Structure formats: C-alpha cells, structure tokens
Amino acid sequence: MKMRQLKARDVAPYLFIAPFFVLFLVFGLFPLGFSIWLSLHQWDPATGLAAMRRVGVENYWYALTDPWFHKSLYNTLWFALVSGLPQHLLALPLAYFINRRLKRSRNAVVGAYFLPYITSSVAIALIFSTLLSKDYGVINAVLAELTRVPLLGTLMPAESIDWLGRAAYTKPAVAFVVFWRFLGWNVVLYLSALQVIDKDLFEAATLDGAGEWQQFRYITLPLLKPMMFFAVTLTIIGNLQLFEEPFILVDIEKGVSQSVMTTAIFMYRLAFSDGDFGTASAVSWLLFIVIAVLTWLNSRLFGRQVGGEHAAR
Amino acid sequence: METVPMSMKLVTLALLVPLSATLLAPAQAQQKTTLTVATFPDLDRAAKAAVPAWNKQYPNVELKIVSLQYADHHTAMTTALATGSGLPDVMALDLRFIGKFAESGGLEDLAKSPFNGLALREQFVRYTYTQATSSTGALAAMPTDIGPGTLLYRKDIIDKAGVTEADLTKDWASYIAAGKKIKAATGAYLLADAADLRDIALRAGLNDGEGIYFDAKGQVLVDSPRFVRAFELGREARQAGLDAKATSWTNEWAAGFKQGRIATQMMGAWLTGHLKNWLAPDTAGKWRSANLPGGLYGSYGGSFYAIPKKAAHKPEAWDFIRFMTANKETQLNSLRVLDTFPALIAAHQDALMDEPIAFLGGQKARLLWRDIAAKVPAIPVSKYDAVATDIIRDEFEKVVAEGKDIKTALADAKSLIERRARR
Amino acid sequence: MRRADTPSTAMAWLLVGAGALLLIAPFYFTFVFATHPRTEIFNSPPPAWFGTSALSNFDLLLERLPFWRNLGMSLYVASMTTALNLLLCSLAGYAFATYEFRFKRELFAVVLASMMLPSFLNMIPSFMVMDFLGWIDQPRALYIPAAAGALGIFMMRQYIGSAIHRDLIDAARMDGCGEFRIFWSVVLPLLGPALGTLGLITFISSWNNFVAPLVVMRSAENYTLPLALRSMQSPNNTEWGALMMGSAIAMLPLLIVFFFSARRLVAGLTSGAVRG
C-alpha cells in the first residue's frame, strides 16, 4: 500500500499542472516559435507567408540603435515608476484600512475603488478627454476655482492646462489614468490576502501592548509578502507592456503622442503602420528580456517568502 | 420468376421521382451564393443602403456585410492576407492603407481580364486611379468615394473682421494675414491646429505623378523647399496665436465650432455633413465652402474596394464592385445617405449637384466640390507614406513646441524616414 | 480594543471619500452620456445629469448591432473561461505550492514567462492555429486557449502557499485521502476569497478582451460585445450616445459579478482555516 501511495503522490503534481502545459503546447508554443523565427526575418504580413526574407540579427541591431526605441523604453520605465509606485504605496494602507475599519460600507467602498477597472476603454477615452479638456474640463474648472483660495492659489497655474496636448502635462495625465485604473485592482488583491491573516494574532499583539503601526509592520507586512510579490510582479509586467491607456487617450495621429509612446505602442506601429513585423517581434523579445530581468530582481526581494513557513517543504 | 411486389415498385417510384426532379432541373435551381464584403464604418452604411437595389438586380447573390472598426478591419485584413485564409470576397480599404495593400501582391490586378478595370478609367475622377495603382502598375482597387479638400469658413466672422473669401484663398501669406485680422477684430482663431496647415501646405505645387514624400525613384523629399515653406507657415500660424491647438474630434474642437471660436477649417467636403448633424448644428447657414488657399487642390480621405486573389467568388465580387462604384444610382444614394462624395464622374452630372445646401447658407457647394475633384493632381501613393506622415508630424511638433530649428528637424526626419524605409 | 483618534479617522474618511468620488466619476458619466444624444455629449460643458435620450440611443444601438447575440456570446465565453480557470488554476497553483517535484522551478518559470510577451503580436500565428483546427468563428476558440491562465496559476500558488497549512494536508493524507480528493474536499473549500478574486479577474479580462475575437470571429453575430461596440466606431462619425449606452450595458454584468465575488472576498470570516 505504501508503494502505491508514493506513486500517486509523485505523479499527482504533474497531472495537476498538465492542463496548463497542454494548452500552452498547443496554443502558446507555436506563436512563441513563430515570433522568434519572425524576429530573424523581414516580413510585411500583407504580402503573405512566403514573402519572408531572412535577415538574421539585423532586426535586433536596428531596434537597439533606434532613437524611437530608446525613447519608448524611457517612457515605459517612466510610466512604470510614476504610476506603479503610488498604486502600491496607496493600495496597501487602503486595503488595511478597509479591512480593519469598515464593516458595513466595505462592499460599497471596495466597489467604488474597483469601478475604474471595470469601466470600458471606450468610455475611459471619451470621458477622460472630456474631463481633461483644456477649456471645458472639470479638472481645469476646479483648478481655476482653487486659484481663488489664498495660499493654495499661488501654486496654481495662471492659465488653463492643456492636459492632453502638451507633452509636459500629457505624461502625468496618462500616468494618472493608469494609476486610477489599477489602484482598485491592487486594493482587491491585498484585501483578499488580508483575509487570510489570523485575527487572533492581532489580538494577542494588542494584549502585549503593540500599537497599530507596530502590528502593521511586524505582523501584517511579513505575512503579506507573498501577495506583494504577486501584485508587484503583475504591476511590473503590466506596466512594461503598457499599451492601452496611452493609446486610447492620445490619438496616435497627434504630435504629442511621441511623448507617451511606450515600447508596446512602438511595437504596434512597427507592425501595423510600418509593415515591419520582423522588427516588431525583435522588439517584443528585447522587451521580454527587460521584463524578465526586472521580475527576477523582484523575486529576489519578495520571492523567498513564497509559501513561508506554511508551505510544504 | 418472382414478380417485383407492388410495394417495392411504389417505393422505388417514390424515390425516383424526387431524384429525377433534382437531376433534371439544375437550370431552374435557385443556388444562392453568399458574397462576403468586409468593410468598416461609415462605409458599411453605404453597402447596407445598397442592399435592396442589389437584391433586385442580383437575386441569387446574397450580401454578407462584415463590419469592424476602422483599424481593427485593416488589421484583420492584414492577418487574412498574411495567412491566405479567411479572406472576404470584397475588401473595402481606406486611402491611408491603400498604398500598403496595393503593394502587398495579395489583391487581384483589376486591370487584367476578366475585370478589365482600365476600361472604366475615364468614368472616374482622375486622381483616384493613381491612388489605387501599385508601383508595378497593377490596379489594386476601384475608388468608391472621395473627399475633395475645401476650406470651410464662417462668413459671419470674417465679415465682422472685414476679410473676404478672396483674402483667405489668394495664397498662404494672405491666409495668415487674414487670420491676424480676424483674431484682432473678433478674437476667433483662424484654424484649429497649425499642424493642419502644415499638412496641406506640403502638397503645394505638386503635379500629376509627383509623390508627396517620395519621388519616383524612392528618394526622400522632405528636405525640399516645399517642406521648409510648409513648416514655416505652420510655425508662423502657431507663433501668431492663430490656432486653437484643438485636436480634431474632441470637445474643444466641437466647442470651437459651436461657439464660433474657430473661423475656418480645411478638410474634406464631408465635414459639412458632420457639422450639420452633430458638431455644430446651431451654426447652420453661417458657413461657406471655398477652395483651399494658394490654388491648392487636394483630397482628404477616400475609400476603395478590392478583390483578394484568394477570394472565393470573384465574378460576383466584381459585379458588386461595379454596382457600388460604376453605378450612378448607387453613388448618388451614398451621397444622400452618407454625405460621401461620389468618385464616379457620371454622378457629378446629376441634378443633385445643383441642390443648394442649407447649412452653407444655400450655397451650391457640390458644384464647387465637383470642380475641385477634377483638378486634384494624380499623386502616387507609396507604402511608406504612413511612416513618413508620422515622422513629419512628430518633427513638426518639436518645431512648434520646443523651438527646434526647421532645417535640423527636416534633416532628422529625412534620416529617420530613410531608416524606416530601408527595405 | 482602543478606538483610534477621531481626527485621524475623520481625515482618513475624507481621503477615502474624495478618492471614491474621483473613482466613480467616469463610471457615472458613462451612464449619463448614455442618456444624451451625440450633440449634447459634445456640449461644453458636457452634461452632468441624465438626459432623455436613453430610449432613442438604445434603439439606435439595436439597429446597428445584433446586440443581444453579442451580449450572449460575451456572457457565454466569459463564463466558460472563468469556470475552467477556477478549477484548473487552483489545481495547478495547489501543485506548485504544496508539492515538491522535479523541474518544479523551471516549469513555474515557464508559467511566469508566458505572461511576458505582448499578445497582439501573436495574432497571426494564433489565427493560423485556429484555422488549422477549424475553430474559426467559434466560441471555443476563445475559451479553450484561455482555460488555464498563467495569471491564475501564479495567484493561486501565492495564496495557497500562504494560507494552507502543511499539517492540514498531511492529516488528510494520513486519513487515506487520494491526492485529488485532498485538493477537492480539503483545500478547495478554504480558497473562498482567492476563488472570488480569481473569478472576478478572469471574468473581467475575458469580457474586455477584444483582440482574440478580432482574430477568430468572422460574422457580426459572433462578435463579443467589446468587439461589436468597437465595430460601431467610425473615425469621424461615431454615434456616441448609442455607443455609451452599449458600453454602460456592457459594464453591468461586470458589476454583478463583482458583487457576487465581493461577498466571498470581503467576508473576513475565513481566518480560522489556517489553524488546525
């Protein structure tokens, strides 16, 4: 009987992860291989599969020496930092606050924070361009009102800001929309992780005289590490692949779009405007390397704790 | 010998009758073919509006109109051409993409038999055929609608400033001078965006056969005096505060029209319909349509229909294309339903052209637009036009927003375009 | 338990409240715009309260799109994807979190890496695979490839790793439970909040995905809702009122799913699971 149990236990994990790998083999591997193959060729897809022309690593070299590629990497990293950092710095305390303090209004508040994630892209594009409108937007209207307030007023700009028209303002505006969109998502993630933490731990700590901040720092944070690793990894991956928000907010036909061109948007342009799928694939692999490196760095920071003391050894 | 039982005979008869009926009546059989037309808004409405008339003329061919968003459609068509699978019978294409698709080699050459599209050439506005012709001389598509470039202006505003239409259209210098007068007298902006000015001024002095960004040998032309002048004009307009810096199709832009803060707009004639329907309906009667300044003739947009090489029903596809493009009634119907200007010259002779347009204060603008369409030079398109447009636009933005020097900007643009178009 | 100081609580409330308002605004405006005709949406300033064109926008929407079929298709695909993910991702996450096996690290690295390539470049090879399988224009082409998402596996691994105590599993094993049975009867019931979150995330991302249907669907009736709504957008002539109405309706199922999973998510009653 022991022999049989051992066998099942050995085989089980492979069986359990099999569905993912089967699907990956069928639907993921071919596109992956195709993409690698493509990055070594020059190809305009409209000309058909047979028209691929082998160019070796020329595409990679071309991308690495391209000024627009450098600009896009800079933009991407800028967005990752400026919208990613606040997302987490705010989401964590918020989730904590909601978990501890709110009972009846909890659903409503979390719902409010989650709404941005549900709002459709089309709506976001239209409504934010309305809100951020230079002469008629609510934001500028509020700022105009604030100029009347004595102290604060001196900090306010003299004339209405062209949020989506001037590079200096468009970047923060787009970063804000990304932040706005994903704050709730991170709140939800952290909240679900906070549910797991045993309430008794906090009670015991309070009895021992530990203050709120100490409890947060020494109980909550360590136990949240696995979820933080998950959430931060997602933010890294998501932000480095950022495409949607800059794309829908700033029309690609407008001059200022270069200031919010992320690497993913650059890739899109290469593929569908320039008809250069080969270079686009090369850029996607270069981006992949950047993402992989950053994820690895992240796992050094948080990843050790995966499972912690609770997982099987 | 056993006789065949009666029941067997009856059964056999019962089977033979329908069998022979189907065998004997192929000629009468109503075999319905489904013709797949892939298109995008707003063009899909033109096809849908033509369905009743089509069904009358071709009752055996059923139209299946598949419509996707503008960019999605062209992406889906690119994907289909790439793999050679999932292609429609008729492919609608926009001017912005026609260069690329014509060069792809995946579309039928409509000049060859059995289409013989060149025979219809004289029936269409001259420049459209050039736009649809690839660098190898293949006619990749048939034109269906055009956008004659016009200057729409607010008569009441320019009257107030003491400016006349002639001042606006004489040449670019007088256009800008007029803009300064308008600004001083009424506070209204001359135009929505200096980039619009640059974009159209680029086309100054082009003749038949001359490309905008590339010459016949593929050399990049962006450092020529034509470009320098266009950039200078755009910059001048921006520096004199003549443009509202409003992006098209936004609140600001619509508001600019509604409140009379934008005095002129250069765009395709079809803008009139939009202004009337939803952008600024209350300003009806105050607008007029004129030629573009500086004696320039250009077009804004245009749509085409093509047949992929791997299409399943090519004869029917060609019937459909001729029905939509070479048929006067269909073309006029599109004009009525969509406000799109016909590419077919015969449609330009109809009484509909004489109709006074209320929104334009009763002006018989279609006659003007017809005239403009005939004079637009036949400029060949290149598959790198989209790339060049992007790069020029970005460099212009640097010139006006960051004060970059024009000559440097154009030199940078040239090297960037050459880099991108290296293949 | 000591009550916290009132000023700091009030301050916290204020921030949370103001933040909540800003977060709701675009959502709110979608519904407001859905009740106005196109001209009014582009008014300056835009309308802040509901208008009277809801019905006409709705009629226009139904006229332009096979709306109900698209809605149905979205619901079907999103539900199938979610159900499959809930099962398969928790299974795989459980395996990665609680077992030790050869190549575990490498295999998980593959899972992680699969999330790092941007999907729109895969359009053409994906299309080729679907074409080869004969799945073009069919919903299964949408939910089967997405049935065991890497994101879900990653998330469940993290959650199970930190929430499920080793002792629980060992005890069940000693009781003679088979491997799958341990997962199904012992571990799965404890995954409430995580399943709620995963279900929510999967449903929403499946619902909003328009790239996959763009590649696979060939008839307007089979479009999912976001793709169908996009197909209504013309570069210059979009019927914004109808589009907003469509977008507003499209967001309602997501809201409903949220409320369902929120119950599991914010229950806060599952803390006892960790202890034996």
Side-chain angles (χ1 to χ4, degrees):
Chain A
M1 200 152 88
K2 258 208 169 164
M3 287 295 269
R4 263 184 69 190
Q5 272 201 321
L6 215 58
K7 257 189 142 185
R9 194 164 154 179
D10 289 335
V11 171
Y14 291 106
L15 281 178
F16 290 171
I17 64 175
F20 170 81
F21 284 97
V22 167
L23 288 172
F24 182 68
L25 236 72
V26 177
F27 297 106
L29 215 56
F30 177 65
L32 206 84
F34 189 85
S35 166
I36 298 178
W37 175 254
L38 194 50
S39 68
L40 301 171
H41 289 73
Q42 179 227 332
W43 191 45
D44 178 357
T47 56
L49 282 171
M52 280 200 224
R53 196 169 63 90
R54 197 185 168 92
V55 291
V57 290
E58 188 191 317
N59 288 334
Y60 286 92
W61 184 242
Y62 178 83
L64 285 169
T65 55
D66 190 277
W68 279 21
F69 177 65
H70 303 151
K71 184 91 197 278
S72 74
L73 264 184
Y74 170 74
N75 287 341
T76 308
L77 290 168
W78 190 92
F79 279 125
L81 226 69
V82 172
S83 74
L85 221 59
Q87 269 177 47
H88 289 272
L89 290 180
L90 232 78
L92 199 47
L94 258 175
Y96 183 73
F97 177 78
I98 293 174
N99 189 39
R100 292 275 264 167
R101 295 301 173 73
L102 300 183
K103 298 288 178 245
R104 280 177 311 156
S105 50
R106 185 180 275 184
N107 269 6
V109 173
V110 177
Y113 274 94
F114 204 67
L115 279 180
Y117 188 66
I118 301 180
T119 313
S120 82
S121 306
V122 155
I124 290 179
L126 177 62
I127 288 160
F128 266 100
S129 60
T130 305
L131 288 175
L132 292 170
S133 158
K134 182 168 86 127
D135 299 314
Y136 305 102
V138 172
I139 310 284
N140 278 345
V142 167
L143 285 176
E145 284 301 308
L146 283 178
T147 47
R148 309 238 202 102
V149 172
L151 271 171
L152 214 54
T154 48
L155 295 168
M156 293 297 139
E159 51 165 37
S160 51
I161 300 179
D162 191 1
W163 289 106
L164 292 175
R166 293 197 49 197
Y169 295 112
T170 312
K171 271 175 112 140
V174 172
F176 176 75
V177 176
V178 179
F179 163 77
W180 170 86
R181 200 140 190 225
F182 291 103
L183 180 63
W185 155 279
N186 285 306
V187 167
V188 166
L189 284 182
Y190 285 133
L191 202 53
S192 76
L194 283 170
Q195 303 306 301
V196 181
I197 301 179
D198 199 347
K199 290 250 164 68
D200 301 346
L201 284 170
F202 291 111
E203 288 197 3
T206 316
L207 285 175
D208 282 348
E212 186 122 26
W213 169 246
Q214 283 175 308
Q215 289 180 22
F216 180 72
R217 188 149 169 238
Y218 294 111
I219 303 180
T220 316
L221 272 184
L223 287 176
L224 271 185
K225 278 237 168 107
M227 191 46 94
M228 277 167 77
F229 171 56
F230 174 65
V232 173
T233 305
L234 284 189
T235 299
I236 291 177
I237 295 180
N239 270 331
L240 287 174
Q241 291 177 342
L242 190 65
F243 177 85
E244 186 150 358
E245 282 75 20
F247 190 70
I248 61 177
L249 285 171
V250 184
D251 192 342
I252 209 166
E253 306 257 334
K254 294 303 148 200
V256 75
S257 66
Q258 236 228 346
S259 69
V260 296
M261 179 175 66
T262 60
T263 308
I265 291 182
F266 176 59
M267 227 189 303
Y268 177 86
R269 269 178 154 183
L270 275 174
F272 294 107
S273 276
D274 301 1
D276 194 351
F277 249 73
T279 313
S281 297
V283 171
S284 82
W285 283 103
L286 289 172
L287 187 62
F288 171 80
I289 293 173
V290 174
I291 298 178
V293 166
L294 284 175
T295 307
W296 179 80
L297 279 174
N298 185 42
S299 75
R300 303 244 99 205
L301 258 174
F302 292 110
R304 298 278 190 78
Q305 309 299 327
V306 166
E309 316 82 61
H310 299 286
R313 288 267 165 262
Chain B
M1 198 139 55
E2 274 188 1
T3 49
V4 180
M6 192 56 173
S7 50
M8 277 281 286
K9 285 187 189 163
L10 283 172
V11 169
T12 323
L13 209 61
L15 286 174
L16 278 176
V17 170
L19 210 60
S20 46
T22 47
L23 284 173
L24 286 171
Q28 273 82 33
Q30 295 295 316
Q31 292 286 333
K32 266 213 162 188
T33 331
T34 307
L35 192 69
T36 310
V37 179
T39 175
F40 52 92
D42 252 349
L43 194 59
D44 61 343
R45 288 173 57 207
K48 287 179 187 163
V51 168
W54 169 266
N55 284 336
K56 263 199 228 129
Q57 194 170 337
Y58 297 92
N60 289 346
V61 184
E62 192 180 319
L63 288 179
K64 178 178 167 190
I65 299 176
V66 179
S67 176
L68 280 172
Q69 189 252 8
Y70 179 77
D72 291 351
H73 163 78
H74 290 97
T75 304
M77 291 301 107
T78 306
T79 305
L81 280 174
T83 57
S85 170
L87 285 159
D89 296 310
V90 178
M91 188 190 290
L93 292 168
D94 184 76
L95 178 63
R96 189 183 151 89
F97 290 90
I98 192 77
K100 252 180 66 168
F101 280 84
E103 292 301 316
S104 71
L107 300 174
E108 280 287 350
D109 183 356
L110 299 175
K112 299 209 160 81
S113 62
F115 313 110
N116 298 317
L118 287 179
L120 301 169
R121 188 187 195 127
E122 302 306 313
Q123 297 182 24
F124 289 94
V125 172
R126 205 179 43 147
Y127 70 86
T128 55
Y129 259 61
T130 317
Q131 286 174 337
T133 306
S134 76
S135 58
T136 55
L139 179 67
M142 292 292 286
T144 179
D145 64 50
I146 57 177
T150 175
L151 177 74
L152 292 170
Y153 66 92
R154 282 284 294 266
K155 180 134 173 56
D156 55 333
I157 294 180
I158 70 167
D159 281 347
K160 205 161 134 194
V163 167
T164 66
E165 180 182 306
D167 291 331
L168 286 175
T169 62
K170 190 168 99 183
D171 56 36
W172 292 110
S174 72
Y175 178 66
I176 292 189
K180 291 179 183 159
K181 274 170 91 176
I182 293 172
K183 182 98 197 267
T186 65
Y189 294 105
L190 176 64
L191 70 170
D193 195 345
D196 296 341
L197 176 54
R198 174 219 82 222
D199 200 37
I200 192 69
L202 274 184
R203 291 145 219 268
L206 284 174
N207 297 313
D208 281 357
E210 289 175 16
I212 304 178
Y213 302 103
F214 303 94
D215 69 11
K217 288 187 241 100
Q219 294 281 17
V220 179
L221 299 170
V222 300
D223 48 357
S224 61
R226 172 165 56 96
F227 278 80
V228 175
R229 183 87 186 102
F231 269 53
E232 281 171 357
L233 284 167
R235 184 175 60 181
E236 194 184 338
R238 172 64 60 94
Q239 284 173 343
L242 297 178
D243 73 329
K245 295 192 210 139
T247 313
S248 4
W249 313 107
T250 59
N251 262 39
E252 250 99 37
W253 196 63
F257 295 131
K258 281 198 177 101
Q259 298 167 357
R261 294 171 65 250
I262 298 178
T264 72
Q265 178 70 48
M266 295 179 276
M267 206 164 264
W270 39 262
L271 184 62
T272 317
H274 293 311
L275 285 168
K276 179 183 75 176
N277 289 332
W278 60 285
L279 281 172
D282 294 333
T283 58
K286 299 185 185 160
W287 294 84
R288 298 287 182 276
S289 171
N291 279 310
L292 293 170
L296 219 158
Y297 292 97
S299 74
Y300 284 81
S303 316
F304 301 82
Y305 285 113
I307 305 181
K309 279 187 177 151
K310 295 223 174 122
H313 306 107
K314 290 189 209 170
E316 292 85 351
W318 181 239
D319 287 338
F320 177 78
I321 293 182
R322 275 184 307 131
F323 185 77
M324 292 304 294
T325 63
N327 180 313
K328 181 173 160 190
E329 255 322 296
T330 324
Q331 290 267 303
L332 287 172
N333 201 28
S334 300
L335 175 60
R336 277 186 220 110
V337 166
L338 288 183
D339 253 327
T340 53
F341 210 75
L344 185 68
I345 298 182
H348 295 183
Q349 310 306 328
D350 190 85
L352 208 53
M353 293 289 143
D354 285 323
E355 192 186 0
I357 300 184
F359 190 79
L360 297 174
Q363 181 185 359
K364 294 188 181 177
R366 294 200 187 113
L367 296 172
L368 172 68
W369 300 336
R370 174 178 76 185
D371 186 56
I372 293 175
K375 294 196 179 133
V376 173
I379 297 177
V381 292
S382 155
K383 72 173 175 160
Y384 294 113
D385 272 349
V387 174
T389 312
D390 283 352
I391 293 176
I392 288 293
R393 182 191 58 236
D394 287 338
E395 288 300 328
F396 180 71
E397 180 71 17
K398 289 189 189 140
V399 166
V400 290
E402 297 163 25
K404 188 170 177 184
D405 169 62
I406 291 184
K407 288 258 159 68
T408 325
L410 287 172
D412 285 348
K414 179 169 183 177
S415 61
L416 259 176
I417 296 176
E418 279 170 352
R419 209 180 129 82
R420 291 254 180 277
R422 70 201 183 285
R423 293 158 174 178
Chain C
M1 277 236 252
R2 276 180 51 199
R3 280 215 62 145
D5 302 322
T6 333
S8 70
T9 321
M11 196 51 186
W13 270 107
L14 196 68
L15 279 171
V16 170
L21 225 65
L22 181 62
L23 293 162
I24 300 179
F27 192 79
Y28 167 74
F29 275 110
T30 308
F31 283 88
V32 168
F33 285 0
T35 58
H36 286 272
R38 188 166 50 158
T39 341
E40 281 173 34
I41 294 179
F42 278 82
N43 266 345
S44 322
W49 189 247
F50 297 97
T52 53
S53 303
L55 220 57
S56 60
N57 279 342
F58 190 64
D59 284 337
L60 191 54
L61 183 67
L62 290 181
E63 192 187 298
R64 291 288 176 92
L65 302 174
F67 185 74
W68 300 117
R69 282 207 59 166
N70 295 137
L71 184 65
M73 176 63 77
S74 278
L75 280 172
Y76 176 58
V77 172
S79 307
M80 289 298 288
T81 310
T82 305
L84 286 169
N85 264 275
L86 285 176
L87 176 63
L88 298 176
C89 288
S90 39
L91 204 53
Y94 168 70
F96 278 115
T98 53
Y99 288 88
E100 280 305 317
F101 52 97
R102 288 258 310 263
F103 303 123
K104 172 164 126 157
R105 285 193 60 190
E106 289 77 5
L107 288 171
F108 187 71
V110 173
V111 172
L112 215 57
S114 72
M115 292 200 287
M116 298 183 203
L117 286 173
S119 60
F120 58 77
L121 279 189
N122 290 340
M123 260 195 240
I124 291 178
S126 288
F127 180 77
M128 289 164 70
V129 173
M130 292 307 166
D131 200 24
F132 175 74
L133 290 170
W135 285 5
I136 294 291
D137 222 14
Q138 291 184 45
R140 76 179 76 149
L142 296 179
Y143 63 77
I144 296 207
L151 186 93
I153 297 180
F154 188 12
M155 182 176 143
M156 293 316 269
R157 179 186 98 130
Q158 300 306 102
Y159 190 84
I160 294 175
S162 65
I164 306 295
H165 213 286
R166 172 85 191 274
D167 303 344
L168 208 59
I169 300 174
D170 288 342
R173 202 171 274 137
M174 286 208 284
D175 280 348
C177 282
E179 298 303 313
F180 186 75
R181 179 103 186 282
I182 300 176
F183 167 75
W184 187 260
S185 316
V186 177
V187 177
L188 201 55
L190 302 176
L191 298 181
L195 286 179
T197 310
L198 180 60
L200 184 62
I201 291 171
T202 310
F203 192 88
I204 294 176
S205 85
S206 167
W207 185 269
N208 283 333
N209 180 10
F210 74 88
V211 176
L214 173 62
V215 172
V216 159
M217 295 308 183
R218 287 274 164 268
S219 352
E221 295 78 34
N222 287 340
Y223 291 171
T224 56
L225 201 48
L227 188 64
L229 287 173
R230 271 178 74 88
S231 80
M232 236 176 74
Q233 283 178 266
S234 150
N236 309 325
N237 199 22
T238 311
E239 283 290 348
W240 289 103
L243 186 58
M244 284 293 109
M245 173 58 78
S247 302
I249 300 179
M251 294 198 275
L252 290 176
L254 301 180
L255 215 53
I256 295 173
V257 171
F258 174 77
F259 277 119
F260 266 123
S261 45
R263 285 165 187 242
R264 296 184 145 255
L265 180 62
V266 297
L269 302 166
T270 56
S271 54
V274 186
R275 298 263 285 254

